Amino acid sequence: MMHVMKQSDVIIVGAGAAGLMCAREAALRGKHVTVLEHSARMGEKIRISGGGRCNFTNLYARPETFLSQNPHFCKSALSRYTAQDFLDLVKAHHIGWHEKPYEDNAHQSAKGQLFCDDKAFLIIDMLRNDAQQAGVKFHLETDISNIEKDGDFFIVTTNKGDFKSAALVIASGGLSIPKIGASPFGYKVAAQFELSIIPPRAGLVPLTFADSLLAQTKELSGIGLQAEVKSEKGGTFTEGLLFTHRGLSGPSILQISSYWREGEEITVNLLPGQDMFEALRLVRREKPKQKLHNILCAYLPKKLAVFVAETSGHDVTIADLSDKKLRAIANSINDWHIKPQGSEGYRTAEVTLGGVDTGELSSKTMEVKKVPGLYFIGEIVDVTGHLGGHNFQWAWSSAVAAGQAV
Ligand SMILES: Cc1cc2nc3c(=O)[nH]c(=O)nc-3n(C[C@H](O)[C@H](O)[C@H](O)COP(=O)(O)OP(=O)(O)OC[C@H]3O[C@@H](n4cnc5c(N)ncnc54)[C@H](O)[C@@H]3O)c2cc1C
């Protein structure tokens, strides 16, 4: 039987956020596009994102809301396809959307998050329908066994036959949540073409405590509050914090997890905007007979107040506490230093930090400088957004940059 090679202008590997957007963009420009996806369904991460309502962009997405070895790399793509551009697309498709309400005192990072009013699959349908109408051919459950560069063409060998194209876009995402299709495919392709890779690690992920610390904090599991969290090497976020039975979670912790490295401390202020030392001194003057844990109950959830008082070793009448002791107690609230043991890893991480070194790519087109025709877009690239819609915005922006160049 004669072996038929399917040829198109562009092959895109991965029908996730970036792959769908790139396919749409290239096809609308008249390119013949083939998308190869190993899962049975496309856009699985979009479907489960934002609690099922897809936080599809952030109005305040800007270079400072992304982590990368080269913080300038994302500028070009983000400025040419903005959050407003994606919002215009959503509006043009009559998809209901809203901005998440935020606490008045919340950090900038909690603002500008746009969600679907209804289900996230509307975003998948929008991208897939546009792409299909523009002629994109999707091949699901397609396993790629080999990629070869043959002169000006790429030959992709799969269980559904061989595919050939002059442009190959890798949009296979990071390592987070293998259960729904994440694979190391993109890193392997990068290695095959001898591209430098910034070591991947889990980001936007809950942090875990060592058993000794957990033994103390386990009973706090379920308590949530607004906290300011900092890491040693940059990053400050004031958002929700949640005690879990393994350590800490909540938006502020997910945010800081992308900055935190093993062995480092994080600093937590459980009462941002409240100087606890001055507050305790005032109580000592005005109500000297009160016991510490009763005083703290006015500021913190009860279990946490008791925990702070007991672990301070000074749960006595406040009149008996010196300034030095009050300072130590206040610091355990305003300036709590914690050394997490690790993170919950790729099983629950929302993103993968690191990836293809941006030095290998054109920031204008996402094309590999030393391999003409090969492109990397989305999460596989060493550009990782803060929590709150930034990662999808990077997927859209990098996808459009490549989609206009292929
Ligand atoms: C639970 C969760 C919630 C999230 N919520 C949000 C949110 O609300 N807002 C936000 O901005 N970001 C969110 N994110 C992050 C966001 O989903 C990703 O950053 C984004 O999907 C990355 O897009 P991508 O196209 O690069 O990768 P993906 O969307 O992961 O797509 C990669 C695609 O490639 C396919 N693939 C992988 N390996 C192969 C292979 N070998 N062959 C063929 N196909 C392959 C995968 O099956 C997948 O379809 C969330 C992530 C998770 C895990």
Side-chain angles (χ1 to χ4, degrees):
M1 200 175 80
M2 211 177 75
H3 189 68
V4 183
M5 175 114 58
K6 300 179 192 85
Q7 185 160 349
S8 47
D9 297 321
V10 189
I11 294 171
I12 299 174
V13 179
L20 284 167
M21 190 66 168
C22 186
R24 174 186 184 279
E25 186 70 24
L28 287 174
R29 286 178 49 247
K31 297 286 172 179
H32 290 110
V33 181
T34 297
V35 179
L36 307 177
E37 164 63 53
H38 71 165
S39 299
R41 298 203 287 189
M42 55 184 88
E44 277 296 86
K45 274 193 190 160
I46 301 177
R47 189 178 58 80
I48 62 165
S49 68
R53 288 180 194 265
C54 188
N55 178 192
F56 55 79
T57 191
N58 190 299
L59 293 174
Y60 300 102
R62 58 194 191 287
E64 295 74 30
T65 57
F66 293 86
L67 292 92
S68 171
Q69 294 276 305
N70 176 3
H72 304 293
F73 179 82
C74 62
K75 286 181 180 169
S76 171
L78 286 174
S79 69
R80 283 178 296 127
Y81 191 84
T82 64
Q84 189 59 50
D85 290 327
F86 193 79
L87 179 57
D88 289 345
L89 186 62
V90 167
K91 286 179 179 168
H93 284 76
H94 308 291
I95 296 174
W97 62 278
H98 62 275
E99 183 173 349
K100 184 183 167 187
Y102 52 85
E103 305 286 329
D104 284 344
N105 66 346
H107 191 265
Q108 179 69 33
S109 62
K111 299 178 182 170
Q113 303 180 20
L114 304 191
F115 285 80
C116 295
D117 288 343
D118 213 328
K119 296 283 185 211
F121 71 74
L122 294 172
I123 299 287
I124 307 172
D125 287 354
M126 169 181 86
L127 298 173
R128 187 195 43 219
N129 292 343
D130 278 6
Q132 271 170 340
Q133 275 166 26
V136 174
K137 299 268 181 299
F138 287 99
H139 297 265
L140 302 179
E141 296 181 299
T142 302
D143 294 321
I144 297 169
S145 52
N146 193 44
I147 289 179
E148 224 175 275
K149 181 132 207 235
D150 182 11
D152 288 342
F153 291 94
F154 292 90
I155 313 288
V156 180
T157 311
T158 82
N159 60 338
K160 303 268 173 82
D162 292 354
F163 295 82
K164 181 177 178 178
S165 67
L168 175 63
V169 181
I170 306 300
S172 53
L175 297 170
S176 312
I177 326 248
K179 212 172 61 186
I180 57 161
S183 86
F185 180 81
Y187 307 95
K188 289 187 182 157
V189 177
Q192 179 186 339
F193 288 97
E194 296 177 354
L195 308 184
S196 153
I197 296 170
I198 307 299
R201 61 195 173 90
L204 300 181
V205 64
L207 296 176
T208 55
F209 290 168
D211 287 347
S212 50
L213 183 54
L214 209 54
Q216 294 179 304
T217 62
K218 216 159 37 188
E219 66 195 79
L220 304 175
S221 174
I223 293 177
L225 69 174
Q226 285 281 312
E228 182 193 80
V229 183
K230 289 185 196 174
S231 78
E232 284 180 26
K233 299 202 181 94
T236 302
F237 298 93
T238 306
E239 294 186 47
L241 174 146
L242 180 71
F243 287 87
T244 71
H245 63 288
R246 290 161 59 86
L248 291 175
S249 188
S252 61
I253 294 297
L254 299 188
Q255 297 277 31
I256 215 66
S257 72
S258 295
Y259 289 81
W260 174 80
R261 302 285 186 139
E262 233 161 88
E264 291 178 1
E265 284 187 342
I266 58 169
T267 312
V268 177
N269 182 349
L270 295 168
L271 280 171
Q274 173 75 60
D275 182 337
M276 271 318 285
F277 179 59
E278 287 309 325
L280 290 172
R281 283 191 359 148
L282 188 67
V283 180
R284 190 176 57 187
R285 267 200 311 277
E286 294 183 347
K287 295 177 183 162
K289 294 217 171 91
Q290 283 221 18
K291 276 205 124 179
L292 181 63
H293 75 261
N294 283 331
I295 299 163
L296 295 182
C297 277
Y299 296 92
L300 295 168
K302 187 170 176 212
K303 263 192 186 170
L304 185 56
V306 172
F307 169 80
V308 171
E310 283 176 355
T311 50
S312 77
H314 305 304
D315 191 14
V316 294
T317 306
I318 194 156
D320 297 332
L321 295 175
S322 64
D323 270 3
K324 195 173 161 203
K325 284 177 182 159
L326 290 191
R327 174 65 74 190
I329 294 159
N331 281 350
S332 71
I333 296 168
N334 286 145
D335 193 28
W336 183 25
H337 290 248
I338 314 169
K339 197 182 259 189
Q341 182 185 48
S343 84
E344 296 208 351
Y346 293 119
R347 190 180 54 84
T348 58
E350 277 197 20
V351 284
T352 305
L353 293 142
V356 175
D357 188 334
T358 58
E360 301 281 11
L361 308 176
S362 153
S363 62
K364 207 159 174 264
T365 63
M366 306 294 138
E367 188 173 16
V368 177
K369 290 175 191 165
K370 62 188 181 205
V371 189
L374 180 61
Y375 298 75
F376 286 83
I377 57 172
E379 202 175 310
I380 186 67
V381 178
D382 172 38
V383 173
T384 305
H386 288 178
L387 188 71
H390 302 277
N391 284 295
F392 278 138
Q393 187 55 43
W394 172 247
W396 317 137
S397 297
S398 58
V400 169
Q404 290 178 347
V406 287

